[in-house]
Amino acid sequence: MDAPREKRKISEVSPFLLRKNNIKDIKLSDLENPHNLYYLLSSPDSELIIWLQENHLLAQNFDCLRCGEKMTLSSRPKNNPPYAWRCRKAHEISASHFSIFANSHHPIQDTIVFFTTLLNKNSLRLASTFSGFHYNSTAVRFGSLFRNLFKEWVLSNILEPPMIFTNRVEIDESLFGRKTKYHRGAKRGTNVWIFGIVECDTNRLILYPVENRKRETLIPIIKRHVAPNTQIFSDGFSAYGNLNQEGFQHFVVNHKQNFVQFYENPETKQSVKCCTNKMEGAWANAQEHFKSVFYNPMLYCSN
């Protein structure tokens, strides 16, 4: 007789249980489920506007730019979106002002489809097809806006001030780009060295494009994002040779001999497992992702 199979938790595997049937329960992360996205898009305009305000995609209040008085949100069926801010002196401004939906004659629902399609790692061409945007004008403009928003987020959340890793980290570098087979023929495209740091306990990851792999290039990046006295695991690349002198606890694994190496503190008898498996896994995911992104026209939108 076959051994009884373990019962799977349906909540972990069934997309059906991730469906939300109340717009108030839908969060931005829930839009990965198609049902939630379609439910949101088919909701009345009044409920959609409130949802966008609660998720900080539209302004929740507004002061008149001309007279400074408080404005109220009023229904304007002929407008796009069909709501506008209006003050007591009859000054009026679109509800989408100062948002990603501004300066567009397309309904807000179409813009949501465009952005969610791109977030699902689809091409700009497919996003323009699903949303009804003209590819060579509207789609390219919104694609450039989309990219700039991510640039601002990275600048304010990772680079300034810099993200600091305080737990064990793994570091490595990898070459991204198209390679010639057997080193024959002309080089195609651009090859870029990427330097990566991953925090083992939290899986937080930073990837830096670098001009070269010299010590003078990599060490400042490590000192910028890794706190002093942090354990750093790497391979035996020579650029990392003086990390101990820089104030870190550096452990090396020789990949020519094995993939895991153990160190023992002679005083405390504490064993430290050194490997770069998390960083290698990050490279695999990044390479797979950028294979499609390299040919995504969104990357070549004009600034």
Side-chain angles (χ1 to χ4, degrees):
M1 181 180 295
D2 295 337
R5 296 181 179 180
E6 295 183 359
K7 293 184 178 179
R8 294 183 302 173
K9 295 182 179 179
I10 299 180
S11 60
E12 295 179 357
V13 298
S14 175
F16 180 83
L17 296 183
L18 300 177
R19 295 179 176 183
K20 304 293 179 62
N21 294 317
N22 189 335
I23 191 173
K24 295 181 180 179
D25 298 332
I26 298 177
K27 301 178 181 178
L28 287 172
S29 57
D30 296 327
L31 296 184
E32 294 181 1
N33 189 302
H35 171 86
N36 299 332
L37 176 61
Y38 299 148
Y39 188 88
L40 177 69
L41 297 176
S42 61
S43 300
D45 290 333
S46 58
E47 296 182 9
L48 178 60
I49 293 294
I50 295 175
W51 184 87
L52 291 170
Q53 289 179 320
E54 292 178 347
N55 286 274
H56 310 290
L57 295 174
L58 286 180
Q60 295 183 343
N61 50 69
F62 214 93
D63 292 337
C64 183
L65 300 176
R66 298 174 63 182
C67 63
E69 291 193 6
K70 291 287 184 181
M71 307 185 80
T72 57
L73 197 61
S74 306
S75 176
R76 295 292 185 271
K78 295 183 179 180
N79 290 16
N80 182 36
Y83 284 84
W85 293 101
R86 187 180 178 89
C87 70
R88 291 188 300 175
K89 296 184 179 180
H91 299 148
E92 193 173 287
I93 194 169
S94 172
S96 63
H97 202 65
F98 294 142
S99 75
I100 60 175
F101 308 103
N103 302 321
S104 174
H105 64 277
H106 290 274
I108 284 181
Q109 290 86 343
D110 292 346
T111 307
I112 295 176
V113 171
F114 179 85
F115 285 129
T116 52
T117 304
L118 286 182
L119 285 173
N120 287 328
K121 302 180 182 180
N122 294 298
S123 67
L124 188 68
R125 175 73 69 178
L126 192 62
S128 66
T129 301
F130 286 174
S131 60
F133 287 1
H134 189 275
Y135 177 75
N136 290 328
S137 57
T138 308
V140 170
R141 178 169 62 87
F142 271 98
S144 179
L145 170 63
F146 194 66
R147 182 183 60 178
N148 289 335
L149 288 174
F150 273 99
K151 285 182 179 179
E152 293 179 7
W153 186 90
V154 170
L155 181 63
S156 59
N157 291 273
I158 296 180
L159 301 181
E160 298 292 344
M163 180 186 294
I164 303 298
F165 297 148
T166 58
N167 297 316
R168 299 174 298 118
V169 300
E170 298 176 8
I171 59 176
D172 196 17
E173 68 287 334
S174 179
L175 185 63
F176 279 59
R178 301 180 65 177
K179 302 177 182 178
T180 56
K181 194 172 183 179
Y182 304 120
H183 303 286
R184 297 178 180 177
K187 293 183 179 180
R188 298 178 294 174
T190 301
N191 293 331
V192 179
W193 280 106
I194 306 294
F195 175 66
I197 307 175
V198 61
E199 192 172 37
C200 299
D201 295 340
T202 63
N203 290 328
R204 293 190 301 170
L205 173 69
I206 290 180
L207 301 179
Y208 266 91
V210 292
E211 295 182 358
N212 53 64
R213 297 185 297 162
K214 295 181 179 180
R215 179 177 304 175
E216 296 79 9
T217 302
L218 303 184
I219 297 299
I221 299 177
I222 297 173
K223 296 176 69 174
R224 178 180 178 84
H225 291 284
V226 182
N229 203 37
T230 299
Q231 291 181 349
I232 297 180
F233 303 148
S234 75
D235 56 20
F237 187 46
S238 59
Y240 309 137
N242 65 337
L243 284 177
N244 285 318
Q245 288 73 26
E246 295 290 345
F248 303 102
Q249 300 180 44
H250 185 211
F251 299 90
V252 178
V253 55
N254 188 347
H255 286 161
K256 293 183 179 180
Q257 298 179 357
N258 47 48
F259 294 98
V260 179
Q261 191 163 341
F262 290 89
Y263 290 84
E264 183 176 292
N265 190 321
E267 298 179 358
T268 63
K269 303 299 181 180
Q270 181 181 6
S271 178
V272 177
K273 176 183 177 182
C274 176
C275 67
T276 58
N277 293 341
K278 282 187 177 291
M279 198 66 242
E280 296 295 338
W283 290 137
N285 291 330
Q287 292 280 7
E288 183 66 25
H289 172 67
F290 282 107
K291 281 181 181 178
S292 60
V293 173
F294 279 148
Y295 304 101
N296 189 339
M298 188 182 70
L299 294 179
Y300 306 99
C301 299
S302 57
N303 292 326

